[in-house]
């Protein structure tokens, strides 16, 4: 088979100029189209793929897949020709637009993207996947190495192993793809679905923000075990809203039926502010090093399926705020594929008139009891604070509140925290006085504890108060201007405390109303701190 060199003319039209890059089975050349006088990219097979029928079929299928798509975030195919060879065989040739930019994998080898840039890039990739899925095409190999960063955004490349939604893998027990971004159903030989591309997009989102793949290992087997058995690692993002953090976890769900559609992902990631683009960095950047095996497209044997505990593991790992904004999963199927979850408004609740009457009576009884308790407390307070009768003098009894120390004795190496008095909701402004607001929350917890274990268990309440005191210290250390690690320290502690409140609620250590009240107030603190950052 003829080996192409600079100056080689293909199909009496495409003159090869210089090679741009090569993979295990193909090489991409820059070429000049003499018919239309424009630069193009020419993809040719090389090595064993050039003489193997399967390699030729793969390039032909890529041409067919790209020809069915017309989207600004997908590489445009110009031509497909079969170049005759002196031995009577032919060489398939794919001609596409010539892209000038930087490969995303090469860019991430230099460090992670800014969170906003990562969101823009993945939103654009989601729109490309949406178009492919509507055309009945599954990419099957979405990864940073198949994404090009351009001056106006990103483009999805290499549909070489793409397949139609109605196709099945040709060889039983063999899978093809890139282990670092492969969904569990692909790795176990159950075939690819549109949801498999969404899983890969979740991997790419993590990769863009963390600078590395979500599951890493020295061997491919270690990476695969992570995809099959481990919960997805937390997204190291401090400036993204909770719904995007929750969306990432849903994209990484082990069960494809629990993942959102590409259209849903695009909608959630879409920027509502001024348009932004993800461009290549300045020239002179260091080239990427040798890729680990798990980051390369490969053909391998299918792995044993994981134990069927996807949903329980995912529920256990989801943070509280992500659970509150969870996309409802759907188990019914359509056209042979699991129906994809969507963001729907909760159905309105309907109550009978009898229930409403009972609730009204209960509220009236509680209000009357609360008033009685309050008045009796006021009478007791007056008696405790009034002057003693004439002729009676002396100091307060040892166990009365007046004789108790106002602060507990300090222990070397620890910080003494005054027990807050019981009270209602915090009245301070979390933006102007976050410390005062947090102190009000601690007092509010005392009020919850007084209502009994159905509202909150005493030990749980004290633990939450200690955690709030820890947040106060971090806020005080970061004032007046929250920047850098001080801002991240406060954000991390707020997120951890939100997750703990959710776990306590799941374990029945805190009631639903108290948990949601504290979570909403704590979220206001986090938003206020973010606004100062």
């Amino acid at each position: 088979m003829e080996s192409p060199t600079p100056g080689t003319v293909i199909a009496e039209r495409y003159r090869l100029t210089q090679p741009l890059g090569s993979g295990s089975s193909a090489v991409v050349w820059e070429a000049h189209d003499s018919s239309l006088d424009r630069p193009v990219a020419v993809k040719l097979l090389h090595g064993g793929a050039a003489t193997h029928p399967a390699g030729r079929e793969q390039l032909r299928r890529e041409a067919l897949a790209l020809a069915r798509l017309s989207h600004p975030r997908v590489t445009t195919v110009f031509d497909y020709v079969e170049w005759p060879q002196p031995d009577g065989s032919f060489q398939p040739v794919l001609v596409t637009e010539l892209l000038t930019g930087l490969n995303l994998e090469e860019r991430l080898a230099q460090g992670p993207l800014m969170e906003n840039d990562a969101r823009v890039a993945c939103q654009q990739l989601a729109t490309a996947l949406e178009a492919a899925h509507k055309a009945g095409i599954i990419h099957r190999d979405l990864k940073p190495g198949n994404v090009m960063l351009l001056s106006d955004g990103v483009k999805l490349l290499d549909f070489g192993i793409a397949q139609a939604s109605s196709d099945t893998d040709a060889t039983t027990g063999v899978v093809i793809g890139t282990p670092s971004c492969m969904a569990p159903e692909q790795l176990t030989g159950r075939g690819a679905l549109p949801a498999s591309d969404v899983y890969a997009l979740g991997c790419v989102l993590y990769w863009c923000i963390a600078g590395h793949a979500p599951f890493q290992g020295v061997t491919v087997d270690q990476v695969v075990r992570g995809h099959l058995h481990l919960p997805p690692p937390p997204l190291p993002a401090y400036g993204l809203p909770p719904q995007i953090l929750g969306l990432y976890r849903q994209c990484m769900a082990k069960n494809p039926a629990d993942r959102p559609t590409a259209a849903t992902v695009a909608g959630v990631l879409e920027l509502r502010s001024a348009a932004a683009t993800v461009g290549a960095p300045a020239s002179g950047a260091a080239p990427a090093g040798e890729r680990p095996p798990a980051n390369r497209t490969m053909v391998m044997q299918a792995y044993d399926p994981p134990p069927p505990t996807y949903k329980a593991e995912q529920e256990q790992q989801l943070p509280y705020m992500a659970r509150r904004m969870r996309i409802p999963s759907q188990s019914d199927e359509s056209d042979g594929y699991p129906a994809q979850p969507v963001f729907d408004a909760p159905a309105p609740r309907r109550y009978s008139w009898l229930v409403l009457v009972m609730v009204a009576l209960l509220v009236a009884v509680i209000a009357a009891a609360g008033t009685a308790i309050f008045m009796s407390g006021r009478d007791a307070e007056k008696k405790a604070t009034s002057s003693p009768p004439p002729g009676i003098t002396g100091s307060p009894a040892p166990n009365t509140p007046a004789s108790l120390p106002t602060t507990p004795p300090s222990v070397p190496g620890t910080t003494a925290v005054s027990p807050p008095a019981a009270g209602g909701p915090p009245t301070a402004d979390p933006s102007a006085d976050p410390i005062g607001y947090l102190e009000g929350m601690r007092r509010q917890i005392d009020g919850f504890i007084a209502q009994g274990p159905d509202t909150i268990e005493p030990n749980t309440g004290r633990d939450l108060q200690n955690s709030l005191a820890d947040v106060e210290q971090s806020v005080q250390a970061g004032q007046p201007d929250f920047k850098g690690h001080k801002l991240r320290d406060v954000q991390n502690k707020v997120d951890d405390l939100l997750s703990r409140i959710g776990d306590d609620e799941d374990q029945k250590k805190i009631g639903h109303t108290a948990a949601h009240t504290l979570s909403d107030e704590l979220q206001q603190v986090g938003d206020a701190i973010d606004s100062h950052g």
Side-chain angles (χ1 to χ4, degrees), residues 129 132-133 137-142 183 185-186 192-202 259:
L129 292 178
H133 296 166
I137 298 171
I138 305 170
H139 189 279
R140 295 204 302 172
D141 200 21
L142 174 61
E185 62 272 13
Q186 288 180 272
L193 303 166
S196 306
D197 287 343
V198 174
Y199 183 94
L201 182 58
R259 299 174 203 148

Side-chain angles (χ1 to χ4, degrees), residues 175-192:
V175 297
I176 182 171
T178 303
S180 289
C181 295
M182 286 181 73
E185 62 272 13
Q186 288 180 272
L187 291 167
T188 55
R190 290 176 287 164

Side-chain angles (χ1 to χ4, degrees), residues 150-443:
L150 309 174
S151 59
D152 62 344
V154 304
K155 282 215 174 188
L156 180 57
L157 316 176
D158 200 349
F159 281 72
I161 66 170
Q163 70 178 27
S165 300
S166 57
D167 290 348
T168 57
D169 291 329
T171 306
T172 303
V174 176
V175 297
I176 182 171
T178 303
S180 289
C181 295
M182 286 181 73
E185 62 272 13
Q186 288 180 272
L187 291 167
T188 55
R190 290 176 287 164
L193 303 166
S196 306
D197 287 343
V198 174
Y199 183 94
L201 182 58
C203 295
V204 173
L205 175 61
Y206 181 92
W207 204 326
C208 287
I209 295 178
H212 56 80
F215 298 107
Q216 301 183 87
V218 178
T219 65
V220 172
D221 287 347
Q222 291 174 339
V223 174
V224 171
R225 281 198 296 270
H227 286 295
L228 297 184
H229 302 294
L230 299 180
L235 193 65
Y238 306 106
L240 293 177
Q243 59 265 34
I244 292 183
L245 302 180
L247 181 74
Y248 154 73
R249 300 299 294 263
Q250 292 159 357
C251 290
M252 298 290 289
K254 306 296 184 186
N255 189 344
D258 291 337
R259 299 174 203 148
T261 62
T264 297
V265 176
V268 176
L269 293 178
E270 184 178 5
L271 292 179
R272 301 299 180 184
S273 57
T277 58
V278 184
S283 60
E290 181 69 15
R291 288 186 296 170
N295 294 357
R296 305 173 188 166
T297 304
M298 60 179 62
V299 178
M300 54 190 175
Q301 292 295 320
Y303 285 77
D304 292 334
T309 57
Y310 301 133
K311 199 168 188 64
E313 290 179 0
Q314 188 186 16
E315 290 284 330
Q316 184 178 2
Q317 295 295 328
L318 276 175
Y320 174 69
M321 292 306 293
R323 288 201 304 273
R324 289 182 62 194
M325 301 182 181
R326 185 178 306 121
I327 302 174
S329 61
Q330 301 174 4
S331 58
D332 56 323
E333 297 187 358
S334 175
D335 299 330
Y337 297 101
Q340 301 299 322
V342 296
F343 285 101
D344 289 330
R349 296 181 177 179
R350 297 181 178 179
Y351 301 98
S352 67
W353 65 270
L354 181 59
V355 173
L356 294 177
V357 170
M358 294 298 293
V359 170
L361 290 175
L362 181 61
V363 171
V365 171
I366 293 175
T371 302
I373 293 173
F374 176 78
M375 295 304 296
S376 62
R378 292 291 299 273
D379 292 339
E381 181 181 359
K382 289 181 179 179
K383 292 179 181 180
T385 56
S386 60
S387 301
I392 300 178
T393 58
S395 59
N399 292 331
T400 60
S403 66
L404 298 178
T406 56
T407 57
S410 61
V411 179
T414 63
T415 301
V417 178
S418 301
T427 56
D429 182 0
S431 298
D433 184 13
I435 292 180
Y437 193 84
L438 290 168
E439 290 175 348
M441 290 183 64
R442 292 169 54 209
R443 291 192 298 271

Side-chain angles (χ1 to χ4, degrees), residues 47-83:
T51 58
H52 198 282
R56 299 175 182 175
E57 176 62 16
Q58 180 174 312
L59 190 60
R60 187 186 72 85
R61 289 176 63 169
E62 179 177 6
L64 292 175
L66 289 174
R68 294 168 62 181
L69 293 175
S70 178
H71 193 273
R73 299 303 168 191
V74 177
T75 308
T76 302
V77 61
F78 289 154
D79 197 3
Y80 172 78
V81 299
E82 296 182 348
W83 181 27

Side-chain angles (χ1 to χ4, degrees), residues 102-114 118 143-145 147 149 203-213 278 281 286 288:
L102 183 67
N103 182 280
L104 178 57
E105 184 177 9
E106 297 173 351
R107 168 61 185 84
L108 292 176
Q110 306 162 25
L113 300 179
M114 298 294 291
K143 60 181 179 180
V147 178
L149 299 179
C203 295
V204 173
L205 175 61
Y206 181 92
W207 204 326
C208 287
I209 295 178
H212 56 80
V278 184

